């Protein structure tokens, strides 16, 4: 990954945590996604101000015991896919005005 | 979606909630089941507090309905709050109050879909049902405003005696507007139990016409096929999502299993939503019922494919009993009477009154008449 990549949650979505997974519906095409624990951690940390590599290093590698290079590659692939559905915003600069709170979680 | 529902069921999460913001309405539809007087709607703060609780409970799909939702002066404040909590929001409205400005606001707030009631493509029929002259024109204008902004619009066509022949016209209109259409051939009793509205329900011939319309049901042979014999697992299945992964909250904070299932289960003004959801005796009773527990329906040949509504059964007097309206649908669809319909037929009083007057009345015709009583 060359340079910093910033990711932010789009406000054009619906989202809720169901157990350990995050359910997200794209506002663009109503596609429903289930994010696993790792993807959920990235999505929840996507505040627009923290670079993706920092998120991965801080929230993914120590928790899920994944090597940094592998985690970073997977994270970039995931964020690009989610961005393609309008679920995440990606920029090489910090993203202003994005939500700082990922919203409540349903614990049942 | 099925996977999501299964997970919510396993975790005990109310995936879908319908919240009626008001029972007040600017139309006076002949078939409406609501009392339109305001008996003390929840305030803006109460609704926001409830939305916080629903989000915490894990609700994903939120339907805002009424009454007419846009009659609430705080409607957009509530909608904005709901979207900030990341609900997938669907609106049910007659859309009479939606102009370009409102349509733009709805789009900007990321509403998933807007369902709009259209009873006929003919103003004289639609407006006679709503009792508001010009209402069809205004609702159609609203659909165009919403559609022009890329919103998903669903035309809801409730069938009753007054408009049963007009659904092809509504379908053509929906196609022309580029929107989806749903048909609901069920008129329900009033929420206070008054069953007088049921006389507006379409008759068996009209139901059969709808169920054999290829443009509506697709493969008619498959849709109207005789019911399959139930397997053991089928009898362990749940009747519907009401009380399991879905519920309804009235404008006064009353919680019910579903908008069509007026079993009072708690009130969010007195008890936190999650406490009601987890601990209500009523909801837990609803949850305990499987197809096997339905004395009549478990013995019925239609048990697998029937659209039995437990709420309509409840309004008939027994939540474990049959819903006769759904029995009639199964009969219209397949030509095979349900256990309930046959029971009603066999328990009908003997025709002693007409003996000697018209002894030649064929039993089959008499039976058919009884079945629709």
């Amino acid at each position: 990954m060359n340079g910093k990549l910033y990711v932010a949650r789009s406000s054009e979505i619906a989202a809720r945590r169901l157990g350990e997974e995050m359910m997200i519906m794209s506002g663009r095409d109503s596609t429903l996604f289930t994010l696993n624990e790792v993807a959920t951690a990235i999505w929840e940390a996507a505040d627009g101000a923290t670079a993706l590599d920092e998120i991965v290093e801080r929230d993914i590698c120590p928790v899920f015991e994944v090597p940094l290079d592998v985690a970073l590659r997977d994270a970039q692939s995931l964020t690009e896919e989610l961005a393609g559905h309008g679920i995440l915003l990606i920029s090489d600069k910090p993203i202003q005005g994005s939500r700082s709170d990922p919203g409540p979680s349903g614990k049942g | 979606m099925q996977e999501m529902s299964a997970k919510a069921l396993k975790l005990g999460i109310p995936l879908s909630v319908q919240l009626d913001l008001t029972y007040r309405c600017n139309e006076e539809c002949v078939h409406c089941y609501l009392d339109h007087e305001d008996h003390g709607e929840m305030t803006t703060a109460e609704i926001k507090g409830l939305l916080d609780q629903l989000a915490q409970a894990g609700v994903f799909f939120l339907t805002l309905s009424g009454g007419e939702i846009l009659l609430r002066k705080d409607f957009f404040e509530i909608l904005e709050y709901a979207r900030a909590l990341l609900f997938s929001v669907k609106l049910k409205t007659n859309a009479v109050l939606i102009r370009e400005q409102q349509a733009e606001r709805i789009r900007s707030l990321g509403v998933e879909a807007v369902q709009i009631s259209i009873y006929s493509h003919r103003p004289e029929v639609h407006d006679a049902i709503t009792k508001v002259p010009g209402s069809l024109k205004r609702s159609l204008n609203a659909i165009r405003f919403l559609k022009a902004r890329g919103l998903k619009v669903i035309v809801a066509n409730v069938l009753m005696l007054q408009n049963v022949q007009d659904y092809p016209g509504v379908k053509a209109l929906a196609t022309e507007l580029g929107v989806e259409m749903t048909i609901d051939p069920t008129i329900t009793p009033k929420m206070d139990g008054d069953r007088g509205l049921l006389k507006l329900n379409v008759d068996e011939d009209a139901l059969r016409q709808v169920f054999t319309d290829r443009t509506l049901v697709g493969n008619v042979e498959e849709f109207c096929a005789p019911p399959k014999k139930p397997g053991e697992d089928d009898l362990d299945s749940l009747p519907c999502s009401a009380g399991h992964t879905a519920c309804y909250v009235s404008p006064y904070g009353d919680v019910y299993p579903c908008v069509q299932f007026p079993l009072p289960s708690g009130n969010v003004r007195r008890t936190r939503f999650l406490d009601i959801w987890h601990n209500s005796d009523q909801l837990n009773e609803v949850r305990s019922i499987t197809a096997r527990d339905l004395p009549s329906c478990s013995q019925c040949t239609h048990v697998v494919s029937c659209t039995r509504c437990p709420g309509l059964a409840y309004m008939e007097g027994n939540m474990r009993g049959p819903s006769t309206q759904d029995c009639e649908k199964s009969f219209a669809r397949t030509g095979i009477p349900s256990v309930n319909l046959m029971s009603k037929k066999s328990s009908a009083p003997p025709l002693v009154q007409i003996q000697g007057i018209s002894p030649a009345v064929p039993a089959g015709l008499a039976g058919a008449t009884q079945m629709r009583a």
Side-chain angles (χ1 to χ4, degrees):
Chain A
M1 188 160 60
N2 298 320
K4 294 283 187 185
L5 194 64
Y6 293 87
V7 288
R9 295 180 295 277
S10 166
S11 60
E12 300 286 311
I13 56 158
R16 195 72 70 222
R17 184 187 271 273
L18 289 185
E20 298 304 314
E21 296 176 337
M22 183 67 74
M23 312 300 300
I24 298 183
M25 182 182 277
S26 161
R28 183 183 296 170
D29 54 15
S30 296
T31 309
L32 196 59
F33 294 87
T34 304
L35 305 189
N36 63 20
E37 280 184 81
V38 178
T40 297
I42 293 173
W43 190 83
E44 287 183 328
D47 59 4
T50 312
L52 183 60
D53 57 350
E54 293 171 48
I55 292 173
V56 169
E57 195 169 356
R58 182 192 67 197
D59 297 337
I60 305 301
C61 293
V63 178
F64 299 98
E65 297 178 352
V66 190
L68 180 62
D69 58 334
V70 174
L72 209 50
R73 193 177 58 234
D74 289 352
Q76 193 169 7
S77 169
L78 171 79
T79 52
E80 282 170 1
E81 186 189 347
L82 295 182
H85 290 278
I87 287 172
L88 278 179
L89 309 174
I90 298 181
S91 174
D92 56 2
K93 297 187 180 77
I95 301 166
Q96 303 294 320
S98 58
R99 289 175 52 90
S100 58
D101 173 9
S105 304
K107 303 287 188 191
Chain B
M1 261 303 293
Q2 279 184 333
E3 191 183 325
M4 190 178 183
S5 297
K7 180 154 195 180
L9 181 66
K10 187 177 170 190
L11 294 171
I13 289 177
L15 199 59
S16 308
V17 166
Q18 175 168 326
L19 169 61
D20 278 1
L21 298 176
T22 180
Y23 284 161
R24 290 174 288 129
C25 197
N26 49 358
E27 292 184 337
E28 298 177 52
C29 297
V30 296
H31 63 290
C32 187
Y33 54 86
L34 295 173
D35 167 6
H36 295 300
E37 291 296 315
D38 179 359
H39 298 289
E41 294 169 4
M42 284 188 283
T43 63
T44 312
E46 284 177 312
I47 289 178
K48 286 182 175 178
L50 173 61
L51 292 174
D52 287 336
Q53 292 184 51
L54 296 180
Q56 289 290 344
V59 174
F60 188 92
F61 299 104
L62 176 70
T63 299
L64 298 178
S65 184
E68 175 45 47
I69 48 178
L70 279 113
L71 284 181
R72 275 196 74 124
K73 290 187 170 36
D74 56 1
F75 168 69
F76 281 107
E77 186 179 346
I78 291 168
L79 176 58
E80 186 172 358
Y81 196 82
R83 283 295 297 130
L85 289 168
L86 299 180
F87 290 106
S88 172
V89 177
K90 178 180 180 180
L91 306 179
K92 290 186 178 179
T93 171
N94 60 39
V96 163
L97 294 174
I98 297 178
R99 311 291 174 83
E100 292 205 60
Q101 186 186 357
Q102 290 78 18
E104 183 57 35
R105 192 84 196 276
I106 290 169
R107 187 211 60 77
S108 71
L109 289 171
V111 166
E112 172 63 19
V114 184
Q115 181 171 307
I116 297 173
S117 305
I118 299 292
Y119 301 107
S120 171
H121 58 296
R122 297 183 291 158
E124 62 272 26
V125 176
H126 177 96
D127 294 357
I129 289 172
T130 65
K131 297 186 192 169
V132 178
S135 56
L136 176 64
K137 185 178 179 186
R138 292 181 67 167
S139 294
L140 293 180
N141 281 342
I143 291 174
R144 292 187 180 98
F145 295 148
L146 293 163
K147 188 65 189 164
R149 286 161 177 80
L151 277 147
K152 179 180 176 183
V153 178
I154 303 162
V155 163
N157 184 217
V158 176
L159 292 187
M160 63 196 97
L161 290 178
Q162 287 87 334
N163 68 345
V164 66
Q165 297 305 326
D166 285 6
Y167 75 82
V170 177
K171 190 163 191 300
L173 185 59
T175 303
E176 179 193 323
L177 293 165
V179 301
E180 291 179 25
M181 175 194 179
T182 66
I183 288 185
D184 182 357
T186 309
I187 301 295
T188 57
K190 288 201 167 202
M191 286 191 87
D192 64 7
D194 181 351
R195 300 179 68 78
L197 292 176
L198 298 188
K199 66 179 185 293
L200 300 179
N201 267 306
V202 301
D203 64 17
E204 184 188 312
D205 290 340
L207 272 181
R208 190 171 293 120
Q209 181 187 334
V210 170
F211 291 156
T212 55
D213 185 331
R214 199 169 296 277
T215 67
L216 295 177
V217 304
N219 186 332
V220 175
E221 290 71 30
E222 191 177 305
F223 187 76
C224 297
K228 289 176 185 164
K229 190 179 175 188
E232 277 300 299
D233 289 351
D234 291 319
L235 291 177
D236 291 324
S237 65
L238 302 171
C240 75
S241 63
H244 293 275
T245 57
C247 72
Y248 164 75
V249 185
S250 82
Y252 313 123
D254 295 311
V255 178
Y256 302 97
C258 169
V259 67
Q260 283 197 163
F261 198 158
L263 171 68
S265 304
N267 186 292
V268 295
R269 280 172 155 160
R270 294 189 294 273
T271 312
R272 286 189 60 79
F273 174 79
L274 259 184
D275 289 338
I276 296 171
W277 178 255
H278 287 309
N279 303 322
S280 153
D281 291 341
Q282 294 81 8
L283 290 178
N284 283 326
E285 182 181 4
V286 170
R287 288 178 191 129
S288 72
I289 302 171
T290 66
R292 195 182 297 283
D293 302 315
L294 310 175
S296 172
C297 299
S298 63
Q299 306 302 312
C300 182
T301 185
H302 290 289
V303 66
V304 176
S305 56
C306 182
T307 56
R308 176 186 177 276
C309 170
L312 290 177
Y314 171 75
M315 284 194 270
E316 266 186 57
N318 180 4
M319 71 169 88
R320 290 175 177 78
S323 151
T324 301
Q325 285 173 270
D326 289 298
C327 294
E328 288 167 347
K329 284 187 207 164
S330 291
F331 180 59
R333 193 164 48 80
T334 64
I336 300 171
S338 67
V339 165
N340 173 42
L341 293 184
M342 287 192 288
S343 162
K344 283 178 186 284
K345 178 183 170 187
S346 63
S347 63
L351 301 176
V352 290
Q353 298 98 324
I354 60 170
Q355 277 185 351
I357 300 173
S358 180
V361 172
L365 286 182
T369 307
Q370 287 299 335
M371 276 189 279
R372 287 167 44 196

